[in-house]
Amino acid sequence: MTFTEILSSLEQGQYQPVYFLQGEESYMIDQVADHIEEHALNESEKGFNQTILYGRETNAATVLDHVKRYPMMSERQVVILKEAQQLKDLELLQAYISNPLASTIFVICYKYRTLDKRKQFYKAIQKNCVLLTANKLYENRIPAWIQDYLSGKGHSIHPKAAMLLTEYLGNDLSKIANELDKLILNVDAGKTISADDIERNIGISKDYNVFELQSALGQKDIGKANRILNYFIANPRSNPLVV
């Protein structure tokens, strides 16, 4: 399933026994795991029925002890295994994954890498789990992602402003989402976000950025290109040479 499909099903209260979340884009993995952690149980149920484990601090036997328990005074329990890529005996979970308890929601967060598709463990995951492979988005897809993110929160953004954010923040979705959330707090509901809003609230100059430099070079506007370069030289922290 895609990230959007999984979140949509969770928002409708549709939970599955096992979620395996893998890949380089940690933002998507965190969003799915956090949603389940926050919403699958009510506050009174979480004390006895929600467990967070970390791969570097546990082992498969301990994980299995937790996922095989039955919930107390609740229809279900939640077990979230974070940093699963650091669990040395992860593949010992295969038998449970092949036949999980319906009363347990088991979330496995396997960040920054993916499983070997040739192994039986991956095939068991693929057959029995909700599997998310969260790949990094290429920068040319980030403006559309920004549009979708803001649309989901009741805002829109000018294409040039979305490009400006992309040029400045790259494809780090966690950083982009954090900046957008701060921006939303300072922009009237329903207002289309402009480059001026970004400059005023985030501090990215709408006139002195890589996007405008590329435009100036393309138009052979030597004066504008030199002004942008001089601005970069005078502000090396916000405009490092490598970028």
Side-chain angles (χ1 to χ4, degrees), residues 38-219:
E38 293 169 11
H39 298 99
L41 300 174
N42 62 44
E43 291 302 320
S44 65
E45 295 172 326
K46 288 180 181 179
F48 291 108
N49 298 291
Q50 184 157 282
T51 305
I52 310 296
L53 302 170
Y54 292 86
R56 70 178 185 275
E57 300 172 353
T58 191
N59 55 50
T62 301
V63 175
L64 290 170
D65 283 343
H66 284 284
V67 297
K68 289 181 177 180
R69 292 186 317 181
Y70 287 95
M72 295 179 61
M73 296 176 290
S74 175
E75 292 183 3
R76 56 188 174 222
Q77 67 156 343
V78 172
V79 178
I80 301 177
L81 175 60
K82 298 187 177 184
E83 301 171 1
Q85 72 277 4
Q86 297 184 26
L87 185 66
K88 294 179 180 179
D89 51 359
L90 179 67
E91 294 189 8
L92 294 181
L93 302 178
Q94 180 175 334
Y96 176 83
I97 286 169
S98 298
N99 187 29
L101 290 180
S103 58
T104 296
I105 300 173
F106 183 26
V107 184
I108 306 170
C109 302
Y110 191 85
K111 289 184 176 180
Y112 313 119
R113 62 186 71 175
T114 56
L115 294 174
D116 186 340
K117 293 182 179 180
R118 298 168 296 180
K119 292 190 173 183
Q120 288 299 317
F121 183 60
Y122 175 81
K123 293 175 182 177
I125 293 284
Q126 192 177 38
K127 181 178 180 181
N128 299 286
C129 302
V130 173
L131 173 61
L132 170 67
T133 300
N135 297 315
K136 284 282 188 184
L137 295 182
Y138 291 112
E139 284 199 11
N140 64 349
R141 295 178 60 191
I142 296 298
W145 187 89
I146 291 172
Q147 294 272 10
D148 290 342
Y149 184 89
L150 289 171
S151 176
K153 294 180 178 290
H155 287 269
S156 58
I157 186 170
H158 286 293
K160 182 178 179 180
M163 285 295 299
L164 181 59
L165 276 172
T166 303
E167 289 284 351
Y168 188 75
L169 299 173
N171 66 343
D172 186 332
L173 297 187
S174 296
K175 184 186 292 185
I176 294 171
N178 184 54
E179 294 295 340
L180 290 175
D181 288 341
K182 290 191 293 185
L183 187 61
I184 288 169
L185 293 175
N186 294 288
V187 176
D188 293 335
K191 181 181 183 296
T192 300
I193 295 170
S194 67
D196 287 330
D197 293 318
I198 291 171
E199 181 174 6
R200 184 164 51 251
N201 295 289
I202 298 179
I204 307 171
S205 173
K206 70 179 189 302
D207 296 316
Y208 298 100
N209 56 75
V210 175
F211 182 66
E212 289 298 326
L213 175 61
Q214 291 174 329
S215 177
L217 291 172
Q219 296 171 12

